[in-house]
Amino acid sequence: MSSDILSHLAPLLTRCQNALKQKPELQSELLQLARGLTTWLEALPTAVVPAAPEHSEQPPPLPFMTPGKDFVHEFLAPVPSYAPRTTTAPLSFDSAREFIPLPLATVVSRCRVKAAAAKLVARRVAGATLAETEMDEDKIRKQAEAIPDCGLWMFDGSGIRQPKLLWDDLAGGYMVCASAAELIKNWMAQGPDLSTGQEVLLLCAEAQSMLLYAVSDLAWVNRDHEQVQLFVHIRELGKIHQIYVPRFLRREDPADPAKWADLAARLAKAIVKFSGHSVSTIAATTTIDTLTPLQTPALPADPAKVRAKALGNLRFKLRKLSEQHDAPVEEWPRMVELLELAVQAGVPPASLDLREMLVPVYDRLPTTLEAPAPVERVFRSVELHLESLKTDDDPTSNLNMDDPNIERVAELLHGREMVFIGGMRRSQHITALQHAFGLK
């Protein structure tokens, strides 16, 4: 390409930049076109390029590629693709340690603060100076400091060159994730109603996918913790309640971050449906400018106080249950609620306090007692402790092995597998069944 052509190209790009600033809808359409072209190009077979000679002469720099001209970065930088990306780490969790989801209230608060931070960066990209936005940034940082582990990675100035549209989409992604977490809370407070479970989890899956790809489009960080938290909540709820979520939980099925406003409207309607009143999480907006960047989030209570109160109530409840050898079945669900609250507030499932409180009554837990995932982890910890105290006695010692019914069942099931649906999984019962019936 001759230098004459390049010298005429620079002012043309400048004019295009000025025109696009006046027409954001055209900018959005061009961005979508660029994404589509990138996906198409990546699907083409890769040609083998011969290696350049060791001492080949480097071409001179292009005349218009001079420092300080931001339009070069906006028009010539690679556009992120919705194809599977190597720059974004896969959704995998360390199997060597247990992943404990945060309370949904914390996820809501962190998403709102991060949305405000992303919106503030978008203002700076649009031309607002650091001096004009310094006070707003200080307010956002103070809000983040009041929330556990709320990292504002978007305030690292290295990403300021990314187009404003991407920052708007990121702010929208955080807001729909805040709404999704709020929706799950309201849905679970209603039962949850399993007949509407797929509708709820599908909306939330779409929200977390939008945030995943809004983060990916910026090509800055590998992942955002709020997206991972929401992903885990959705996956665990689907697993516990046997709800199939058909879309948006796989990387090959992404949600478009540019369509966050449409999803925001659908989430707002769903939240009203399950709460019975309007919420301030996010309105059915159509433009990013209607977001209030400095909304004060509904911060959760002090986790230390929540833990102390939950443990105190739990200790009182379990003491009463240990004194009542014939405690009615309806007394136990409250114990499960307090256990879940304690774990969500930060008490480790393997906590010595929880174990010492539970051991005296553990063998009296009703077999029909339903326990959510956090409580199941506590029960597993207690079982492991009880197993460590056992001797090598025959687990079937308390069974009448001469019972003809046991012998008949053993003949039918020997070497086979059994699946139990419902009830609580107790290791000593499993061992006894395996020995008595000769199960595989």
Side-chain angles (χ1 to χ4, degrees):
M1 187 178 292
S2 68
S3 59
D4 290 340
I5 294 177
L6 292 177
S7 63
H8 288 86
L9 183 60
L12 179 60
L13 287 176
T14 303
R15 291 177 59 191
C16 289
Q17 181 192 25
N18 294 333
L20 288 175
K21 286 182 177 180
Q22 302 299 322
K23 297 182 179 180
E25 67 281 358
L26 179 59
Q27 184 179 359
S28 177
E29 292 173 0
L30 287 174
L31 183 59
Q32 295 301 320
L33 175 61
R35 286 170 174 165
L37 287 174
T38 304
T39 303
W40 174 69
L41 288 172
E42 289 180 347
L44 294 177
T46 304
V48 179
V49 180
E54 184 175 355
H55 300 289
S56 61
E57 183 179 353
Q58 295 296 323
L62 299 179
F64 59 93
M65 287 189 173
T66 54
K69 293 194 175 182
D70 288 341
F71 70 84
V72 173
H73 297 279
E74 292 192 24
F75 286 96
L76 302 183
V79 178
S81 166
Y82 283 168
R85 297 168 55 92
T86 57
T87 55
T88 302
L91 283 175
S92 60
F93 303 99
D94 186 359
S95 58
R97 66 181 182 89
E98 200 166 38
F99 182 91
I100 301 178
L102 292 172
L104 287 167
T106 301
V107 177
V108 171
S109 297
R110 295 203 314 198
C111 282
R112 290 178 183 171
V113 172
K114 288 187 175 183
K119 176 60 180 172
L120 181 59
V121 176
R123 287 168 54 198
R124 287 174 174 171
V125 173
T129 64
L130 292 176
E132 293 171 341
T133 57
E134 185 177 7
M135 291 183 60
D136 289 344
E137 180 178 341
D138 288 342
K139 292 178 183 178
I140 295 173
R141 287 189 181 277
K142 288 179 181 178
Q143 291 174 359
E145 290 172 0
I147 307 171
D149 298 324
C150 184
L152 301 179
W153 56 265
M154 58 287 299
F155 278 159
D156 174 8
S158 61
I160 198 71
R161 292 175 177 175
Q162 296 288 7
K164 177 179 181 296
L165 183 62
L166 296 185
W167 288 104
D168 287 343
D169 287 348
L170 181 66
Y174 281 122
M175 293 304 290
V176 294
C177 281
S179 292
E182 191 74 35
L183 174 59
I184 292 177
K185 284 177 54 184
N186 292 346
W187 174 69
M188 293 180 66
Q190 299 296 324
D193 181 2
L194 298 186
S195 65
T196 58
Q198 187 176 77
E199 172 193 354
V200 169
L201 295 187
L202 185 59
L203 283 170
C204 298
E206 186 175 358
Q208 65 83 32
S209 182
M210 281 189 178
L211 179 57
L212 172 67
Y213 281 93
V215 173
S216 179
D217 280 350
L218 285 169
W220 191 351
V221 294
N222 285 339
R223 71 178 71 185
D224 183 85
H225 294 301
E226 274 47 74
Q227 180 268 321
V228 176
Q229 285 287 335
L230 191 55
F231 174 88
V232 172
H233 273 287
I234 295 166
R235 187 184 63 176
E236 289 299 308
L237 285 171
K239 186 177 179 181
I240 292 170
H241 298 296
Q242 296 296 293
I243 298 172
Y244 173 60
V245 184
R247 297 203 59 195
F248 304 120
L249 291 182
R250 297 182 304 277
R251 287 189 174 275
E252 58 269 23
D253 183 23
D256 185 355
K259 297 180 180 178
W260 70 268
D262 172 70
L263 177 59
R266 288 183 280 133
L267 281 166
K269 292 178 181 178
I271 292 174
V272 172
K273 174 181 177 181
F274 287 105
S275 66
H277 55 81
S278 61
V279 292
S280 60
T281 311
I282 187 170
T285 55
T286 55
T287 64
I288 190 72
D289 295 325
T290 57
L291 287 178
T292 302
L294 291 177
Q295 281 181 314
T296 302
L299 298 179
D302 183 357
K305 293 181 180 179
V306 174
R307 285 195 297 270
K309 184 176 180 180
L311 288 174
N313 291 339
L314 182 63
R315 188 174 288 106
F316 175 78
K317 183 67 176 178
L318 286 172
R319 185 164 55 244
K320 286 185 59 179
L321 290 172
S322 64
E323 295 170 355
Q324 297 176 315
H325 293 284
D326 55 348
V329 175
E330 56 267 20
E331 292 287 335
W332 295 93
R334 175 57 180 164
M335 181 268 299
V336 172
E337 292 177 5
L338 292 171
L339 268 177
E340 183 179 22
L341 180 61
V343 173
Q344 289 183 339
V347 179
S351 163
L352 180 61
D353 288 339
L354 295 182
R355 184 201 308 163
E356 291 180 343
M357 285 188 279
L358 281 169
V359 165
V361 300
Y362 190 73
D363 59 348
R364 292 165 43 202
L365 295 181
T367 57
T368 57
L369 187 64
E370 294 186 2
V375 179
E376 283 287 358
R377 289 191 282 269
V378 176
F379 289 164
R380 285 203 298 271
S381 174
V382 174
E383 285 191 2
L384 289 173
H385 170 70
L386 295 176
E387 284 289 329
S388 67
L389 301 178
K390 283 186 178 181
T391 62
D392 295 331
D393 294 340
D394 183 358
T396 62
S397 58
N398 294 327
L399 295 176
N400 181 10
M401 298 304 293
D402 295 330
D403 189 328
N405 290 322
I406 293 181
E407 184 177 353
R408 183 163 179 257
V409 173
E411 291 176 357
L412 295 172
L413 298 181
H414 183 78
R416 304 183 70 178
E417 297 180 353
M418 291 182 68
V419 177
F420 288 83
I421 300 176
M424 292 182 57
R425 186 183 188 278
R426 293 179 176 173
S427 56
Q428 63 268 33
H429 292 174
I430 293 172
T431 305
L433 287 168
Q434 287 174 331
H435 282 72
F437 300 144
L439 297 174
K440 178 181 179 181

